[in-house]
Amino acid sequence: MKFDIISIFPDFFQSPLACGIVRIAQEKGIIEVHVIDPRSCAPDSKVDDYQFGGGAGMVMKPEPLLRSIRKTVGKNSRLIALTPRGIPFNQNMAKALSSEDHIVIVCGRYKGIDERVITLCKPEEISIGDYVLSGGEAAAFVLIEAITRLLPGALGNRDSAESDSFTTPLLEAPRYTRPNSYRRHTVPAVLRNGNHAHIARYRRKMAIEQTLERRPDLLPYETFTMQDLNILLEVMNGKNSRHKTR
Ligand code: 6GU
Protein backbone atom coordinates (compact mmCIF):
# COMPACT_ATOMS: atom_id res chain seq x y z
CA MET A 1 0.00 0.00 0.00
CA LYS A 2 1.36 3.38 -0.97
CA PHE A 3 0.38 6.63 0.75
CA ASP A 4 1.14 10.04 -0.73
CA ILE A 5 0.48 12.95 1.61
CA ILE A 6 0.16 16.41 0.13
CA SER A 7 1.00 18.88 2.89
CA ILE A 8 2.68 22.24 3.36
CA PHE A 9 4.19 20.86 6.61
CA PRO A 10 6.21 17.81 5.55
CA ASP A 11 8.25 17.99 8.79
CA PHE A 12 5.10 17.26 10.77
CA PHE A 13 5.23 13.62 9.68
CA GLN A 14 8.84 12.78 10.57
CA SER A 15 8.39 11.44 14.06
CA PRO A 16 4.95 9.78 13.80
CA LEU A 17 6.12 7.87 10.72
CA ALA A 18 9.24 6.77 12.59
CA CYS A 19 7.39 5.10 15.50
CA GLY A 20 5.53 1.91 16.29
CA ILE A 21 3.66 -0.18 13.78
CA VAL A 22 3.77 2.49 11.06
CA ARG A 23 7.55 2.40 11.20
CA ILE A 24 7.62 -1.40 11.23
CA ALA A 25 5.15 -1.61 8.34
CA GLN A 26 7.48 0.60 6.29
CA GLU A 27 10.52 -1.48 7.23
CA LYS A 28 8.68 -4.65 6.22
CA GLY A 29 7.67 -3.06 2.91
CA ILE A 30 3.95 -3.33 3.75
CA ILE A 31 3.46 0.41 3.30
CA GLU A 32 5.38 3.20 1.63
CA VAL A 33 4.76 6.83 2.60
CA HIS A 34 5.79 9.95 0.72
CA VAL A 35 5.07 13.56 1.54
CA ILE A 36 4.73 16.11 -1.23
CA ASP A 37 5.03 19.79 -0.38
CA PRO A 38 2.85 21.87 -2.74
CA ARG A 39 5.52 24.56 -2.44
CA SER A 40 7.64 22.43 -4.74
CA CYS A 41 4.88 22.96 -7.34
CA ALA A 42 4.61 26.72 -6.77
CA PRO A 43 7.06 28.81 -8.81
CA ASP A 44 6.91 31.64 -6.24
CA SER A 45 6.51 29.23 -3.26
CA LYS A 46 3.20 30.90 -2.44
CA VAL A 47 0.69 28.21 -1.48
CA ASP A 48 -2.02 30.24 0.25
CA ASP A 49 -3.68 33.60 -0.11
CA TYR A 50 -6.38 35.87 1.30
CA GLN A 51 -9.92 34.80 0.56
CA PHE A 52 -12.23 36.60 -1.84
CA GLY A 53 -15.06 38.23 0.05
CA GLY A 54 -12.85 38.86 3.06
CA GLY A 55 -12.56 37.11 6.38
CA ALA A 56 -9.79 35.89 8.64
CA GLY A 57 -7.58 33.00 7.58
CA MET A 58 -5.77 31.99 4.45
CA VAL A 59 -7.04 29.66 1.76
CA MET A 60 -4.84 27.24 -0.15
CA LYS A 61 -4.33 28.35 -3.74
CA PRO A 62 -5.55 26.01 -6.47
CA GLU A 63 -2.55 25.77 -8.83
CA PRO A 64 0.13 24.30 -6.51
CA LEU A 65 -2.36 21.81 -5.08
CA LEU A 66 -3.67 20.76 -8.47
CA ARG A 67 -0.14 20.26 -9.77
CA SER A 68 0.77 18.18 -6.71
CA ILE A 69 -2.36 16.08 -7.15
CA ARG A 70 -1.75 15.56 -10.88
CA LYS A 71 1.83 14.49 -10.15
CA THR A 72 0.74 11.79 -7.70
CA VAL A 73 -2.72 10.52 -8.63
CA GLY A 74 -2.82 7.59 -11.04
CA LYS A 75 -5.59 5.40 -12.47
CA ASN A 76 -5.92 3.27 -9.33
CA SER A 77 -5.58 5.92 -6.66
CA ARG A 78 -8.11 6.94 -4.02
CA LEU A 79 -7.99 10.69 -3.57
CA ILE A 80 -8.95 11.97 -0.11
CA ALA A 81 -9.18 15.55 1.12
CA LEU A 82 -9.13 16.06 4.88
CA THR A 83 -11.56 18.69 6.05
CA PRO A 84 -13.89 19.22 9.03
CA ARG A 85 -16.82 19.26 6.59
CA GLY A 86 -16.06 15.71 5.38
CA ILE A 87 -17.73 12.39 6.18
CA PRO A 88 -16.77 11.30 9.73
CA PHE A 89 -14.03 8.66 9.60
CA ASN A 90 -14.76 5.31 11.23
CA GLN A 91 -13.49 1.74 11.42
CA ASN A 92 -15.55 0.58 8.44
CA MET A 93 -13.94 3.26 6.28
CA ALA A 94 -10.50 2.23 7.54
CA LYS A 95 -11.31 -1.37 6.63
CA ALA A 96 -12.54 -0.41 3.14
CA LEU A 97 -9.48 1.75 2.51
CA SER A 98 -7.13 -1.02 3.67
CA SER A 99 -7.80 -2.90 0.42
CA GLU A 100 -6.55 -0.05 -1.79
CA ASP A 101 -3.17 0.07 -3.54
CA HIS A 102 -2.60 3.80 -3.48
CA ILE A 103 -4.12 6.52 -1.30
CA VAL A 104 -3.43 10.21 -1.88
CA ILE A 105 -4.29 12.42 1.08
CA VAL A 106 -4.59 16.18 0.68
CA CYS A 107 -4.16 18.05 3.96
CA GLY A 108 -6.13 21.27 3.89
CA ARG A 109 -5.55 24.16 6.22
CA TYR A 110 -8.44 24.88 8.56
CA LYS A 111 -9.82 27.70 6.44
CA GLY A 112 -9.74 25.27 3.62
CA ILE A 113 -8.62 24.87 0.07
CA ASP A 114 -9.90 26.76 -2.94
CA GLU A 115 -13.23 25.13 -3.81
CA ARG A 116 -12.15 24.63 -7.43
CA VAL A 117 -9.70 21.94 -6.31
CA ILE A 118 -12.70 20.01 -4.97
CA THR A 119 -14.80 20.72 -8.07
CA LEU A 120 -12.07 19.61 -10.45
CA CYS A 121 -10.62 16.58 -8.60
CA LYS A 122 -13.70 15.35 -6.70
CA PRO A 123 -11.78 13.93 -3.72
CA GLU A 124 -13.60 12.04 -0.98
CA GLU A 125 -13.84 14.58 1.81
CA ILE A 126 -13.17 13.02 5.23
CA SER A 127 -13.22 14.48 8.75
CA ILE A 128 -11.92 12.78 11.89
CA GLY A 129 -14.51 14.20 14.25
CA ASP A 130 -16.57 17.14 15.38
CA TYR A 131 -13.89 19.56 16.48
CA VAL A 132 -11.58 21.94 14.67
CA LEU A 133 -7.92 21.32 13.86
CA SER A 134 -5.71 23.95 12.24
CA GLY A 135 -4.88 21.60 9.40
CA GLY A 136 -5.37 18.07 8.12
CA GLU A 137 -1.88 16.80 9.06
CA ALA A 138 -2.83 15.19 12.38
CA ALA A 139 -5.90 13.72 10.68
CA ALA A 140 -3.75 12.26 7.87
CA PHE A 141 -1.70 10.33 10.39
CA VAL A 142 -4.87 9.09 12.09
CA LEU A 143 -6.01 7.59 8.76
CA ILE A 144 -2.61 6.09 7.99
CA GLU A 145 -2.31 4.38 11.36
CA ALA A 146 -5.91 3.12 11.39
CA ILE A 147 -5.47 1.66 7.89
CA THR A 148 -1.94 0.30 8.31
CA ARG A 149 -2.72 -1.77 11.40
CA LEU A 150 -5.35 -3.64 9.38
CA LEU A 151 -2.90 -4.72 6.68
CA PRO A 152 -1.79 -8.37 6.77
CA GLY A 153 1.53 -8.71 8.58
CA ALA A 154 1.50 -5.24 10.12
CA LEU A 155 0.58 -6.39 13.62
CA GLY A 156 2.65 -9.12 15.26
CA ASN A 157 -0.46 -10.88 16.46
CA ARG A 158 -3.41 -10.89 14.00
CA ASP A 159 -5.76 -11.47 16.92
CA SER A 160 -5.12 -8.10 18.43
CA ALA A 161 -6.69 -6.30 15.46
CA GLU A 162 -9.65 -8.69 15.46
CA SER A 163 -10.59 -8.18 19.12
CA ASP A 164 -10.32 -4.36 18.98
CA SER A 165 -13.20 -2.13 19.93
CA PHE A 166 -15.21 -1.21 16.81
CA THR A 167 -14.17 -4.36 14.91
CA THR A 168 -16.34 -6.33 17.25
CA PRO A 169 -18.67 -3.42 17.92
CA LEU A 170 -18.32 -3.61 21.71
CA LEU A 171 -15.85 -1.66 23.81
CA GLU A 172 -13.08 -3.77 25.29
CA ALA A 173 -13.11 -5.35 28.73
CA PRO A 174 -10.54 -3.92 31.19
CA ARG A 175 -7.08 -5.53 30.94
CA TYR A 176 -4.57 -6.34 33.67
CA THR A 177 -0.93 -7.32 33.82
CA ARG A 178 1.47 -8.03 36.64
CA PRO A 179 1.63 -7.42 39.56
CA ASN A 180 -1.45 -9.27 40.75
CA SER A 181 -1.86 -6.86 43.64
CA TYR A 182 -1.11 -3.18 43.22
CA ARG A 183 -1.83 -0.72 46.03
CA ARG A 184 -4.27 -3.26 47.45
CA HIS A 185 -6.19 -3.50 44.15
CA THR A 186 -6.10 -7.09 42.96
CA VAL A 187 -6.75 -8.55 39.53
CA PRO A 188 -10.21 -10.23 39.27
CA ALA A 189 -9.72 -13.85 40.34
CA VAL A 190 -11.52 -15.27 37.31
CA LEU A 191 -8.69 -14.02 35.04
CA ARG A 192 -6.14 -16.03 37.01
CA ASN A 193 -7.88 -19.35 37.52
CA GLY A 194 -7.19 -20.68 34.03
CA ASN A 195 -10.81 -21.53 33.14
CA HIS A 196 -11.03 -20.24 29.59
CA ALA A 197 -14.81 -20.48 29.30
CA HIS A 198 -15.22 -18.47 32.50
CA ILE A 199 -12.67 -15.92 31.31
CA ALA A 200 -14.43 -15.53 27.95
CA ARG A 201 -17.81 -15.01 29.63
CA TYR A 202 -16.34 -12.56 32.13
CA ARG A 203 -14.73 -10.52 29.35
CA ARG A 204 -17.92 -10.55 27.30
CA LYS A 205 -19.83 -9.34 30.35
CA MET A 206 -17.37 -6.55 31.04
CA ALA A 207 -17.44 -5.53 27.37
CA ILE A 208 -21.24 -5.37 27.38
CA GLU A 209 -21.20 -3.47 30.67
CA GLN A 210 -18.61 -0.92 29.45
CA THR A 211 -20.49 -0.40 26.21
CA LEU A 212 -23.85 -0.01 27.96
CA GLU A 213 -22.30 2.53 30.32
CA ARG A 214 -20.21 4.55 27.88
CA ARG A 215 -21.53 4.05 24.35
CA PRO A 216 -25.04 2.55 24.50
CA ASP A 217 -25.44 3.69 20.88
CA LEU A 218 -22.90 1.01 19.85
CA LEU A 219 -24.64 -2.01 21.41
CA PRO A 220 -25.15 -4.52 18.56
CA TYR A 221 -28.46 -5.96 19.78
CA GLU A 222 -29.21 -7.53 16.40
CA THR A 223 -26.16 -9.81 16.69
CA PHE A 224 -26.65 -10.65 20.36
CA THR A 225 -26.74 -14.34 21.26
CA MET A 226 -28.93 -15.79 24.00
CA GLN A 227 -25.88 -15.68 26.26
CA ASP A 228 -25.36 -11.98 25.47
CA LEU A 229 -28.98 -11.21 26.32
CA ASN A 230 -28.61 -13.05 29.64
CA ILE A 231 -25.44 -11.11 30.34
CA LEU A 232 -27.20 -7.85 29.47
CA LEU A 233 -30.01 -8.69 31.91
CA GLU A 234 -27.47 -9.54 34.58
CA VAL A 235 -25.63 -6.27 34.00
CA MET A 236 -28.85 -4.24 34.08
CA ASN A 237 -30.14 -5.99 37.21
CA GLY A 238 -26.76 -5.49 38.84
CA LYS A 239 -27.03 -1.78 38.09
CA ASN A 240 -30.57 -1.52 39.50
CA SER A 241 -29.76 -3.35 42.69
CA ARG A 242 -26.67 -1.19 43.11
CA HIS A 243 -28.81 1.92 42.86
CA LYS A 244 -31.47 0.49 45.17
CA THR A 245 -29.04 -0.36 47.97
CA ARG A 246 -28.86 2.29 50.62
CL1 6GU B 1 -9.77 16.33 8.57
N1 6GU B 1 -9.31 18.82 9.28
C1 6GU B 1 -9.45 19.87 10.11
N2 6GU B 1 -8.83 21.01 9.81
N3 6GU B 1 -10.17 19.84 11.21
C2 6GU B 1 -10.76 18.68 11.50
C3 6GU B 1 -10.67 17.55 10.69
C4 6GU B 1 -9.93 17.65 9.56
N4 6GU B 1 -11.40 16.55 11.23
C5 6GU B 1 -11.91 17.07 12.34
N5 6GU B 1 -11.55 18.34 12.50
Side-chain angles (χ1 to χ4, degrees), residues 82-84 108-110 126-136 139:
L82 291 170
T83 154
R109 296 274 77 209
Y110 157 56
I126 293 179
S127 155
I128 60 161
D130 294 339
Y131 41 77
V132 177
L133 303 170
S134 301

Side-chain angles (χ1 to χ4, degrees), residues 33-241:
V33 187
H34 298 280
V35 188
I36 298 104
D37 185 348
R39 263 181 270 267
S40 68
C41 299
D44 55 359
S45 292
K46 196 170 163 56
V47 290
D48 56 7
D49 210 336
Y50 298 100
Q51 43 183 322
F52 278 117
M58 306 292 273
V59 170
M60 292 179 80
K61 289 166 69 63
E63 309 93 322
L65 269 186
L66 283 167
R67 282 200 203 110
S68 312
I69 292 171
R70 271 197 213 108
K71 266 194 355 201
T72 48
V73 168
K75 268 223 322 270
N76 295 317
S77 316
R78 285 280 280 265
L79 179 62
I80 291 170
L82 291 170
T83 154
R85 77 177 191 192
I87 299 172
F89 187 60
N90 62 26
Q91 189 67 23
N92 286 337
M93 291 157 82
K95 189 124 216 187
L97 289 170
S98 71
S99 61
E100 296 292 334
D101 291 327
H102 183 208
I103 297 178
V104 180
I105 303 174
V106 181
C107 301
R109 296 274 77 209
Y110 157 56
K111 283 298 170 189
I113 60 190
D114 188 289
E115 189 64 23
R116 289 163 292 189
V117 175
I118 308 295
T119 312
L120 291 167
C121 301
K122 301 184 181 62
E124 291 165 62
E125 294 178 85
I126 293 179
S127 155
I128 60 161
D130 294 339
Y131 41 77
V132 177
L133 303 170
S134 301
E137 282 75 14
F141 188 73
V142 166
L143 262 67
I144 290 173
E145 180 160 318
I147 294 166
T148 299
R149 58 195 305 294
L150 296 175
L151 299 174
L155 293 185
N157 178 356
R158 282 287 301 147
D159 279 355
S160 41
E162 237 96 84
S163 76
D164 281 348
S165 308
F166 299 103
T167 305
T168 77
L170 288 175
L171 303 185
E172 291 215 7
R175 307 274 147 161
Y176 300 87
T177 183
R178 282 180 288 193
N180 171 44
S181 178
Y182 182 69
R183 299 198 174 183
R184 283 194 249 124
H185 294 267
T186 50
V187 175
V190 56
L191 295 177
R192 295 184 302 114
N193 73 10
N195 184 325
H196 294 291
H198 286 181
I199 291 173
R201 191 179 193 282
Y202 169 82
R203 287 195 170 141
R204 188 78 184 166
K205 180 172 176 180
M206 295 310 283
I208 289 173
E209 185 172 299
Q210 298 266 316
T211 311
L212 182 69
E213 230 161 62
R214 300 172 181 218
R215 293 293 306 278
D217 56 304
L218 290 179
L219 275 176
Y221 293 110
E222 60 291 348
T223 62
F224 265 18
T225 60
M226 235 18 222
Q227 193 200 41
D228 289 336
L229 290 170
N230 281 326
I231 290 174
L232 185 65
L233 281 174
E234 238 171 73
V235 167
M236 293 174 101
N237 284 332
K239 290 237 152 12
N240 285 340
S241 60

